[in-house]
PDB file of all heavy atoms in Angstrom:
ATOM      1  N   PRO A 387      18.410  21.567  13.451  1.00  0.00           N
ATOM      2  CA  PRO A 387      19.794  21.275  13.039  1.00  0.00           C
ATOM      3  C   PRO A 387      20.226  19.907  13.541  1.00  0.00           C
ATOM      4  O   PRO A 387      19.703  19.403  14.543  1.00  0.00           O
ATOM      5  CB  PRO A 387      20.603  22.397  13.695  1.00  0.00           C
ATOM      6  CG  PRO A 387      19.774  22.829  14.857  1.00  0.00           C
ATOM      7  CD  PRO A 387      18.342  22.638  14.445  1.00  0.00           C
ATOM      8  N   TRP A 388      21.204  19.309  12.861  1.00  0.00           N
ATOM      9  CA  TRP A 388      21.629  17.959  13.228  1.00  0.00           C
ATOM     10  C   TRP A 388      22.119  17.874  14.669  1.00  0.00           C
ATOM     11  O   TRP A 388      21.914  16.863  15.341  1.00  0.00           O
ATOM     12  CB  TRP A 388      22.715  17.455  12.279  1.00  0.00           C
ATOM     13  CG  TRP A 388      22.239  17.276  10.867  1.00  0.00           C
ATOM     14  CD1 TRP A 388      22.755  17.844   9.743  1.00  0.00           C
ATOM     15  CD2 TRP A 388      21.128  16.475  10.435  1.00  0.00           C
ATOM     16  NE1 TRP A 388      22.035  17.460   8.636  1.00  0.00           N
ATOM     17  CE2 TRP A 388      21.036  16.621   9.023  1.00  0.00           C
ATOM     18  CE3 TRP A 388      20.200  15.684  11.088  1.00  0.00           C
ATOM     19  CZ2 TRP A 388      20.050  15.988   8.283  1.00  0.00           C
ATOM     20  CZ3 TRP A 388      19.213  15.044  10.348  1.00  0.00           C
ATOM     21  CH2 TRP A 388      19.143  15.200   8.957  1.00  0.00           C
ATOM     22  N   ALA A 389      22.735  18.929  15.164  1.00  0.00           N
ATOM     23  CA  ALA A 389      23.246  18.912  16.539  1.00  0.00           C
ATOM     24  C   ALA A 389      22.124  18.752  17.556  1.00  0.00           C
ATOM     25  O   ALA A 389      22.355  18.267  18.673  1.00  0.00           O
ATOM     26  CB  ALA A 389      24.024  20.200  16.821  1.00  0.00           C
ATOM     27  N   ALA A 390      20.894  19.141  17.188  1.00  0.00           N
ATOM     28  CA  ALA A 390      19.777  19.075  18.127  1.00  0.00           C
ATOM     29  C   ALA A 390      18.940  17.811  17.986  1.00  0.00           C
ATOM     30  O   ALA A 390      18.128  17.493  18.861  1.00  0.00           O
ATOM     31  CB  ALA A 390      18.885  20.303  17.945  1.00  0.00           C
ATOM     32  N   VAL A 391      19.112  17.084  16.883  1.00  0.00           N
ATOM     33  CA  VAL A 391      18.266  15.914  16.628  1.00  0.00           C
ATOM     34  C   VAL A 391      18.675  14.744  17.530  1.00  0.00           C
ATOM     35  O   VAL A 391      19.849  14.400  17.628  1.00  0.00           O
ATOM     36  CB  VAL A 391      18.363  15.488  15.146  1.00  0.00           C
ATOM     37  CG1 VAL A 391      17.580  14.199  14.910  1.00  0.00           C
ATOM     38  CG2 VAL A 391      17.831  16.605  14.249  1.00  0.00           C
ATOM     39  N   SER A 392      17.686  14.145  18.199  1.00  0.00           N
ATOM     40  CA  SER A 392      17.973  13.005  19.074  1.00  0.00           C
ATOM     41  C   SER A 392      17.404  11.699  18.554  1.00  0.00           C
ATOM     42  O   SER A 392      17.948  10.633  18.811  1.00  0.00           O
ATOM     43  CB  SER A 392      17.408  13.258  20.475  1.00  0.00           C
ATOM     44  OG  SER A 392      15.980  13.337  20.438  1.00  0.00           O
ATOM     45  N   GLU A 393      16.293  11.775  17.810  1.00  0.00           N
ATOM     46  CA  GLU A 393      15.655  10.527  17.380  1.00  0.00           C
ATOM     47  C   GLU A 393      14.842  10.759  16.114  1.00  0.00           C
ATOM     48  O   GLU A 393      14.160  11.774  15.977  1.00  0.00           O
ATOM     49  CB  GLU A 393      14.744  10.001  18.492  1.00  0.00           C
ATOM     50  CG  GLU A 393      14.103   8.658  18.196  1.00  0.00           C
ATOM     51  CD  GLU A 393      13.183   8.195  19.316  1.00  0.00           C
ATOM     52  OE1 GLU A 393      12.989   8.955  20.288  1.00  0.00           O
ATOM     53  OE2 GLU A 393      12.653   7.071  19.199  1.00  0.00           O
ATOM     54  N   VAL A 394      14.916   9.801  15.203  1.00  0.00           N
ATOM     55  CA  VAL A 394      14.114   9.814  13.978  1.00  0.00           C
ATOM     56  C   VAL A 394      13.561   8.414  13.783  1.00  0.00           C
ATOM     57  O   VAL A 394      14.290   7.428  13.962  1.00  0.00           O
ATOM     58  CB  VAL A 394      14.952  10.205  12.739  1.00  0.00           C
ATOM     59  CG1 VAL A 394      14.059  10.352  11.516  1.00  0.00           C
ATOM     60  CG2 VAL A 394      15.720  11.484  12.988  1.00  0.00           C
ATOM     61  N   GLY A 395      12.291   8.295  13.431  1.00  0.00           N
ATOM     62  CA  GLY A 395      11.738   6.949  13.264  1.00  0.00           C
ATOM     63  C   GLY A 395      10.353   6.953  12.650  1.00  0.00           C
ATOM     64  O   GLY A 395       9.813   8.002  12.269  1.00  0.00           O
ATOM     65  N   ILE A 396       9.776   5.770  12.589  1.00  0.00           N
ATOM     66  CA  ILE A 396       8.412   5.560  12.081  1.00  0.00           C
ATOM     67  C   ILE A 396       7.665   4.738  13.118  1.00  0.00           C
ATOM     68  O   ILE A 396       8.137   3.670  13.541  1.00  0.00           O
ATOM     69  CB  ILE A 396       8.407   4.816  10.737  1.00  0.00           C
ATOM     70  CG1 ILE A 396       9.280   5.555   9.715  1.00  0.00           C
ATOM     71  CG2 ILE A 396       6.979   4.657  10.207  1.00  0.00           C
ATOM     72  CD1 ILE A 396       9.484   4.769   8.423  1.00  0.00           C
ATOM     73  N   ASP A 397       6.511   5.219  13.553  1.00  0.00           N
ATOM     74  CA  ASP A 397       5.755   4.494  14.571  1.00  0.00           C
ATOM     75  C   ASP A 397       4.270   4.785  14.411  1.00  0.00           C
ATOM     76  O   ASP A 397       3.861   5.945  14.278  1.00  0.00           O
ATOM     77  CB  ASP A 397       6.223   4.900  15.971  1.00  0.00           C
ATOM     78  CG  ASP A 397       5.526   4.107  17.061  1.00  0.00           C
ATOM     79  OD1 ASP A 397       5.465   2.872  16.958  1.00  0.00           O
ATOM     80  OD2 ASP A 397       5.026   4.731  18.016  1.00  0.00           O
ATOM     81  N   ASN A 398       3.483   3.733  14.408  1.00  0.00           N
ATOM     82  CA  ASN A 398       2.023   3.859  14.371  1.00  0.00           C
ATOM     83  C   ASN A 398       1.543   4.741  13.215  1.00  0.00           C
ATOM     84  O   ASN A 398       0.656   5.582  13.370  1.00  0.00           O
ATOM     85  CB  ASN A 398       1.502   4.414  15.700  1.00  0.00           C
ATOM     86  CG  ASN A 398       0.015   4.177  15.887  1.00  0.00           C
ATOM     87  OD1 ASN A 398      -0.547   3.221  15.352  1.00  0.00           O
ATOM     88  ND2 ASN A 398      -0.630   5.041  16.638  1.00  0.00           N
ATOM     89  N   GLY A 399       2.157   4.545  12.059  1.00  0.00           N
ATOM     90  CA  GLY A 399       1.733   5.277  10.874  1.00  0.00           C
ATOM     91  C   GLY A 399       2.218   6.701  10.799  1.00  0.00           C
ATOM     92  O   GLY A 399       1.764   7.468   9.945  1.00  0.00           O
ATOM     93  N   MET A 400       3.137   7.079  11.691  1.00  0.00           N
ATOM     94  CA  MET A 400       3.666   8.441  11.697  1.00  0.00           C
ATOM     95  C   MET A 400       5.183   8.419  11.534  1.00  0.00           C
ATOM     96  O   MET A 400       5.871   7.579  12.107  1.00  0.00           O
ATOM     97  CB  MET A 400       3.320   9.159  13.009  1.00  0.00           C
ATOM     98  CG  MET A 400       1.828   9.326  13.262  1.00  0.00           C
ATOM     99  SD  MET A 400       1.027  10.442  12.070  1.00  0.00           S
ATOM    100  CE  MET A 400       1.803  12.005  12.491  1.00  0.00           C
ATOM    101  N   VAL A 401       5.695   9.370  10.749  1.00  0.00           N
ATOM    102  CA  VAL A 401       7.131   9.600  10.635  1.00  0.00           C
ATOM    103  C   VAL A 401       7.446  10.767  11.558  1.00  0.00           C
ATOM    104  O   VAL A 401       6.758  11.791  11.525  1.00  0.00           O
ATOM    105  CB  VAL A 401       7.535   9.949   9.187  1.00  0.00           C
ATOM    106  CG1 VAL A 401       9.036  10.139   9.082  1.00  0.00           C
ATOM    107  CG2 VAL A 401       7.074   8.853   8.237  1.00  0.00           C
ATOM    108  N   TYR A 402       8.469  10.629  12.399  1.00  0.00           N
ATOM    109  CA  TYR A 402       8.736  11.687  13.372  1.00  0.00           C
ATOM    110  C   TYR A 402      10.229  11.958  13.500  1.00  0.00           C
ATOM    111  O   TYR A 402      11.075  11.099  13.244  1.00  0.00           O
ATOM    112  CB  TYR A 402       8.178  11.308  14.749  1.00  0.00           C
ATOM    113  CG  TYR A 402       8.864  10.131  15.392  1.00  0.00           C
ATOM    114  CD1 TYR A 402       9.990  10.308  16.209  1.00  0.00           C
ATOM    115  CD2 TYR A 402       8.413   8.834  15.175  1.00  0.00           C
ATOM    116  CE1 TYR A 402      10.634   9.224  16.794  1.00  0.00           C
ATOM    117  CE2 TYR A 402       9.048   7.757  15.747  1.00  0.00           C
ATOM    118  CZ  TYR A 402      10.155   7.948  16.561  1.00  0.00           C
ATOM    119  OH  TYR A 402      10.794   6.874  17.126  1.00  0.00           O
ATOM    120  N   LEU A 403      10.537  13.193  13.900  1.00  0.00           N
ATOM    121  CA  LEU A 403      11.895  13.606  14.244  1.00  0.00           C
ATOM    122  C   LEU A 403      11.794  14.397  15.551  1.00  0.00           C
ATOM    123  O   LEU A 403      10.990  15.330  15.652  1.00  0.00           O
ATOM    124  CB  LEU A 403      12.502  14.455  13.131  1.00  0.00           C
ATOM    125  CG  LEU A 403      13.929  14.977  13.370  1.00  0.00           C
ATOM    126  CD1 LEU A 403      14.695  15.044  12.040  1.00  0.00           C
ATOM    127  CD2 LEU A 403      13.890  16.376  14.008  1.00  0.00           C
ATOM    128  N   ARG A 404      12.586  14.006  16.520  1.00  0.00           N
ATOM    129  CA  ARG A 404      12.515  14.629  17.840  1.00  0.00           C
ATOM    130  C   ARG A 404      13.867  15.224  18.220  1.00  0.00           C
ATOM    131  O   ARG A 404      14.907  14.619  17.987  1.00  0.00           O
ATOM    132  CB  ARG A 404      12.094  13.592  18.882  1.00  0.00           C
ATOM    133  CG  ARG A 404      11.907  14.141  20.288  1.00  0.00           C
ATOM    134  CD  ARG A 404      11.364  13.079  21.232  1.00  0.00           C
ATOM    135  NE  ARG A 404       9.979  12.733  20.907  1.00  0.00           N
ATOM    136  CZ  ARG A 404       9.600  11.553  20.427  1.00  0.00           C
ATOM    137  NH1 ARG A 404      10.500  10.594  20.207  1.00  0.00           N
ATOM    138  NH2 ARG A 404       8.327  11.316  20.164  1.00  0.00           N
ATOM    139  N   THR A 405      13.840  16.437  18.807  1.00  0.00           N
ATOM    140  CA  THR A 405      15.070  17.056  19.265  1.00  0.00           C
ATOM    141  C   THR A 405      15.376  16.624  20.693  1.00  0.00           C
ATOM    142  O   THR A 405      14.492  16.139  21.415  1.00  0.00           O
ATOM    143  CB  THR A 405      14.980  18.592  19.207  1.00  0.00           C
ATOM    144  OG1 THR A 405      13.872  19.026  20.016  1.00  0.00           O
ATOM    145  CG2 THR A 405      14.776  19.059  17.777  1.00  0.00           C
ATOM    146  N   ALA A 406      16.623  16.817  21.096  1.00  0.00           N
ATOM    147  CA  ALA A 406      17.065  16.343  22.409  1.00  0.00           C
ATOM    148  C   ALA A 406      16.299  17.003  23.542  1.00  0.00           C
ATOM    149  O   ALA A 406      16.049  16.385  24.586  1.00  0.00           O
ATOM    150  CB  ALA A 406      18.564  16.589  22.564  1.00  0.00           C
ATOM    151  N   ASP A 407      15.915  18.271  23.378  1.00  0.00           N
ATOM    152  CA  ASP A 407      15.188  18.968  24.444  1.00  0.00           C
ATOM    153  C   ASP A 407      13.678  18.778  24.353  1.00  0.00           C
ATOM    154  O   ASP A 407      12.924  19.325  25.165  1.00  0.00           O
ATOM    155  CB  ASP A 407      15.523  20.461  24.433  1.00  0.00           C
ATOM    156  CG  ASP A 407      15.267  21.091  23.057  1.00  0.00           C
ATOM    157  OD1 ASP A 407      14.596  20.452  22.223  1.00  0.00           O
ATOM    158  OD2 ASP A 407      15.761  22.209  22.821  1.00  0.00           O
ATOM    159  N   ASP A 408      13.225  18.003  23.356  1.00  0.00           N
ATOM    160  CA  ASP A 408      11.801  17.742  23.137  1.00  0.00           C
ATOM    161  C   ASP A 408      10.983  19.005  22.853  1.00  0.00           C
ATOM    162  O   ASP A 408       9.755  18.983  22.924  1.00  0.00           O
ATOM    163  CB  ASP A 408      11.186  17.008  24.340  1.00  0.00           C
ATOM    164  CG  ASP A 408      11.489  15.519  24.323  1.00  0.00           C
ATOM    165  OD1 ASP A 408      11.734  14.987  23.235  1.00  0.00           O
ATOM    166  OD2 ASP A 408      11.492  14.899  25.406  1.00  0.00           O
ATOM    167  N   LEU A 409      11.656  20.087  22.534  1.00  0.00           N
ATOM    168  CA  LEU A 409      10.940  21.321  22.210  1.00  0.00           C
ATOM    169  C   LEU A 409      10.428  21.313  20.777  1.00  0.00           C
ATOM    170  O   LEU A 409       9.481  22.025  20.447  1.00  0.00           O
ATOM    171  CB  LEU A 409      11.853  22.542  22.432  1.00  0.00           C
ATOM    172  CG  LEU A 409      12.243  22.818  23.890  1.00  0.00           C
ATOM    173  CD1 LEU A 409      13.153  24.039  23.972  1.00  0.00           C
ATOM    174  CD2 LEU A 409      10.999  23.025  24.749  1.00  0.00           C
ATOM    175  N   GLN A 410      11.073  20.505  19.940  1.00  0.00           N
ATOM    176  CA  GLN A 410      10.653  20.411  18.546  1.00  0.00           C
ATOM    177  C   GLN A 410      10.424  18.949  18.183  1.00  0.00           C
ATOM    178  O   GLN A 410      11.312  18.108  18.370  1.00  0.00           O
ATOM    179  CB  GLN A 410      11.695  21.022  17.612  1.00  0.00           C
ATOM    180  CG  GLN A 410      11.818  22.531  17.738  1.00  0.00           C
ATOM    181  CD  GLN A 410      12.872  23.080  16.804  1.00  0.00           C
ATOM    182  OE1 GLN A 410      13.769  22.370  16.397  1.00  0.00           O
ATOM    183  NE2 GLN A 410      12.754  24.347  16.467  1.00  0.00           N
TER     184      GLN A 410
END
Side-chain angles (χ1 to χ4, degrees):
W388 295 124
V391 175
S392 65
E393 184 181 4
V394 186
I396 305 172
D397 184 48
N398 197 28
M400 298 294 294
V401 182
Y402 66 89
L403 179 146
R404 183 175 291 112
T405 58
D407 55 14
D408 280 335
L409 293 180
Q410 291 179 337

